[in-house]
Amino acid sequence: MDAVTSSHALSGINILKSNASKFRHDSSVHACGIRHGSSSTSERAFQKLKLQNNTSVGGKRSSSTAVWTHPLSPISDIEEDKVGVLVLNLGGPETLNDVQPFLYNLFADPDIIRLPRLFRFLQRPLAQVISTVRAPKSKQGYASIGGGSPLRKITDEQADALKIALQGKGVAANVYVAMRYWHPFTEEAVEQIKRDGITKLVVLPLYPQFSISTTGSSIRLLQRLFREDKILSTLPVAIIQSWYQRQGYLNSMADLIQKELQSFASPHHVMIFFSAHGVPVTYVRDAGDPYKDQMEECVGLIMQQLKGRGVHNQHKLAYQSRVGPVEWLKPYTDEVLVELGQKGVKSLLAVPVSFVSEHIETLEEIDMEYKELALKSGVENWGRVPALGCTSTFIADLADAVIEALPSATAITATATSTTRINFAQDPLGFAVKMLLGSVLAFLLLLFPGLKNQNWGDPGQKLFHNNYALFHKRG
Ligand SMILES: C=CC1=C(C)c2cc3[nH]c(cc4nc(cc5[nH]c(cc1n2)c(C)c5CCC(=O)O)C(CCC(=O)O)=C4C)c(C)c3C=C
Ligand SMILES: [Fe+2]
């Protein structure tokens, strides 16, 4: 997928795939309230762009900077603009009492459980059932990491650090946090943006790779909120779609891996084990989610970075955190760990690669479940790379990404295209059959609550599994 293309029913917003590999990271800038350096590579490029824009026609792509300009929003306005950055994240329950309602919000999202359009009316009842069945297992997980998700605190810290890094680069901006499924909700952040009179907005997902289920879902919600609002519908917005290719991010990941390898007695013999959050395989196969491709490319780029530093360890990518009965992206982390252990791999360094803060899947799933499984399977030495969090080089790079995106901000206008409609046009018979089966199973589920499949939390009946699998095949 190319930069500045809209995708997955997200047309109408200027979406950037932040591909600024030509920008070196600026190690003189420190985030998290530390030191702020002078002009960075990106800042200089930004200044250069300002000059360029004064002399060139808008709407042209700047090949040396990976920044696109738009005739409606000349870069020379940025100094007068009131800039906002909207940081997107998933959100997590802060207490155990929040777990079920948080799960309800998650499963009520049509980008998480993808029902055919005609059966969307079942979304909420289904979410109620699934969240109730899943809650006990989820609660156990959150209880084991201190009774709640650390996501809000870490995201707030990252937002503060980003504001400071932007300031250090000469851009005064308000940074807002918009969570998809828990506080502070996206709606609240958007209201605050309106109250503050922001005149130019950059949307920055805290997911390096794009997935329909994460960045895509948040963007879809934003599109709706912005279109429905008189003021917001004219606000120039730039959306950074993904940023896993950025040099600053890759450097920061390589730094963390290199550092962690040193904690092993024999660093060369450690297998670098990338574990990414999975998505159901239908997202990639049927709905065109670029997540898998981007993840594979991302891992390749990190390894390339490490090779450039003389680190030639073996590596492997696998997918974790599957929920429900459907097939998810493979290979599965738990299965690979067992295989590697049985094959005689003795040292493993786990690298969480789909997310930039610690959360339940790093603190509980990787640090507890997977570690135990690996050790039981024959692995003797286990390590885990921490999430990037507020690492200064990383935050500085995010600030650069924001600055590079600013000139492309443009108002949200066009109407979204629907994947469902496309699928229907391509395969009307298949579409009708799936809808019919989906409806029969959904009604069965609602009429006979006993059919709830306990595998969302506990072992149980199979029918609900199959039901869910059908729902996942949208259209
Ligand atoms: C890139 C990151 C993520 C993708 C892709 C993703 C897809 C996805 N997740 C679920 C179901 C659940 N996710 C849950 C929590 C959760 N997921 C992510 C990230 C991605 N999810 C995060 C950051 C979190 C929050 C963690 C925290 O600390 O609070 C949960 C709840 C936890 C649990 O019960 O395991 C569920 C459920 C689906 C179905 C999905 C793709 C369709
Ligand atoms: Fe998830």
Side-chain angles (χ1 to χ4, degrees):
M1 201 165 25
D2 198 9
V4 200
T5 51
S6 49
S7 64
H8 316 295
L10 304 173
S11 60
I13 308 182
N14 226 355
I15 297 176
L16 297 180
K17 180 175 179 179
S18 184
N19 181 9
S21 50
K22 293 180 189 74
F23 291 103
R24 273 176 288 113
H25 79 268
D26 174 19
S27 55
S28 68
V29 179
H30 294 258
C32 297
I34 315 178
R35 186 170 63 86
H36 309 296
S38 54
S39 171
S40 71
T41 316
S42 190
E43 195 183 332
R44 285 192 296 276
F46 177 58
Q47 300 298 340
K48 196 172 137 209
L49 263 169
K50 280 185 167 183
L51 293 173
Q52 273 178 359
N53 195 64
N54 288 336
T55 53
S56 67
V57 184
K60 292 255 167 70
R61 178 177 171 166
S62 161
S63 58
S64 63
T65 57
V67 170
W68 283 256
T69 59
H70 190 281
L72 295 177
S73 51
I75 293 167
S76 51
D77 280 352
I78 285 171
E79 272 161 10
E80 293 100 64
D81 273 319
K82 198 156 180 207
V83 175
V85 180
L86 186 61
V87 169
L88 305 180
N89 214 334
L90 192 124
E94 284 160 66
T95 68
L96 295 185
N97 285 338
D98 297 340
V99 171
Q100 189 276 328
F102 159 77
L103 290 175
Y104 172 83
N105 292 340
L106 185 120
F107 290 118
D109 178 359
D111 285 312
I112 290 285
I113 294 189
R114 298 166 57 80
L115 294 174
R117 186 176 287 264
L118 271 181
F119 297 94
R120 291 277 168 81
F121 70 97
L122 292 173
Q123 191 91 40
R124 286 166 192 225
L126 262 180
Q128 191 60 46
V129 172
I130 298 173
S131 61
T132 307
V133 175
R134 172 83 188 175
K137 185 173 186 232
S138 260
K139 273 188 188 176
Q140 257 180 22
Y142 284 109
S144 73
I145 62 164
S149 170
L151 218 51
R152 182 174 191 168
K153 183 173 172 284
I154 298 172
T155 310
D156 282 346
E157 286 167 2
Q158 288 172 319
D160 290 346
L162 179 61
K163 184 182 168 81
I164 293 168
L166 282 166
Q167 241 160 28
K169 291 167 185 284
V171 176
N174 285 1
V175 182
Y176 305 86
V177 172
M179 298 296 196
R180 184 65 182 88
Y181 307 117
W182 205 245
H183 301 279
F185 286 111
T186 308
E187 289 83 349
E188 299 166 38
V190 164
E191 274 309 307
Q192 192 59 47
I193 285 169
K194 258 173 78 178
R195 278 198 291 274
D196 291 349
I198 293 299
T199 60
K200 194 164 276 190
L201 185 70
V202 176
V203 175
L204 174 68
L206 281 185
Y207 310 98
Q209 308 84 9
F210 180 96
S211 167
I212 296 170
S213 60
T214 53
T215 302
S217 167
S218 284
I219 293 176
R220 206 195 275 260
L221 173 59
L222 283 176
Q223 261 190 327
R224 184 166 59 73
L225 296 174
F226 276 54
R227 280 219 200 87
E228 285 168 359
D229 189 281
K230 216 170 141 196
I231 298 171
L232 295 173
S233 59
T234 61
L235 175 67
V237 182
I239 297 184
I240 299 169
Q241 189 185 14
S242 63
W243 39 265
Y244 66 94
Q245 295 172 315
R246 291 188 65 84
Q247 204 54 56
Y249 163 72
L250 297 170
N251 273 331
S252 307
M253 286 298 287
D255 288 348
L256 289 184
I257 295 170
Q258 223 179 347
K259 180 166 177 244
E260 217 53 44
L261 281 173
Q262 296 315 309
S263 63
F264 288 83
S266 181
H268 301 303
H269 297 112
V270 177
M271 173 169 282
I272 302 173
F273 183 77
F274 293 93
S275 189
H277 197 305
V279 293
V281 81
T282 52
Y283 279 58
V284 174
R285 201 180 52 206
D286 303 342
D289 196 336
Y291 181 72
K292 181 172 183 279
D293 285 347
Q294 292 193 0
M295 191 58 72
E296 287 169 4
E297 191 188 347
C298 176
V299 166
L301 289 169
I302 295 172
M303 286 313 297
Q304 204 175 308
Q305 190 72 32
L306 285 167
K307 281 197 184 97
R309 301 174 181 201
V311 177
H312 297 281
N313 293 47
Q314 283 195 307
H315 77 282
K316 180 93 193 158
L317 166 64
Y319 295 91
Q320 65 174 83
S321 315
R322 46 189 205 281
V323 185
V326 292
E327 187 187 356
W328 285 54
L329 291 183
K330 284 185 178 156
Y332 297 147
T333 294
D334 48 0
E335 292 180 3
V336 174
L337 286 175
V338 173
E339 265 168 44
L340 292 176
Q342 286 170 352
K343 274 188 194 157
V345 172
K346 293 290 168 218
S347 302
L348 265 185
L349 177 60
V351 185
V353 70
S354 48
F355 211 59
V356 292
S357 14
E358 298 297 345
H359 60 298
I360 191 167
E361 274 113 13
T362 54
L363 300 170
E364 195 267 337
E365 209 172 351
I366 297 184
D367 289 354
M368 299 179 195
E369 287 181 42
Y370 292 146
K371 179 179 177 183
E372 194 188 328
L373 184 64
L375 295 180
K376 259 191 202 156
S377 306
V379 172
E380 288 168 6
N381 310 300
W382 172 270
R384 205 262 287 176
V385 165
L388 281 165
C390 280
T391 303
S392 57
T393 47
F394 163 60
I395 297 289
D397 191 50
L398 287 185
D400 288 344
V402 167
I403 292 169
E404 289 152 27
L406 266 171
S408 70
T410 185
I412 292 173
T413 46
T415 318
T417 50
S418 148
T419 345
T420 309
R421 258 182 271 144
I422 293 165
N423 288 347
F424 175 66
Q426 286 164 350
D427 180 14
L429 187 65
F431 180 81
V433 169
K434 280 176 194 167
M435 282 202 310
L436 188 68
L437 286 173
S439 77
V440 170
L441 287 167
F443 280 118
L444 276 177
L445 177 72
L446 289 174
L447 287 174
F448 304 105
L451 294 177
K452 283 186 299 187
N453 189 296
Q454 307 300 306
N455 251 2
W456 293 96
D458 313 297
Q461 295 102 333
K462 276 271 179 288
L463 187 53
F464 188 74
H465 281 172
N466 301 335
N467 192 7
Y468 182 72
L470 272 166
F471 288 146
H472 255 67
K473 290 180 188 157
R474 182 190 252 199

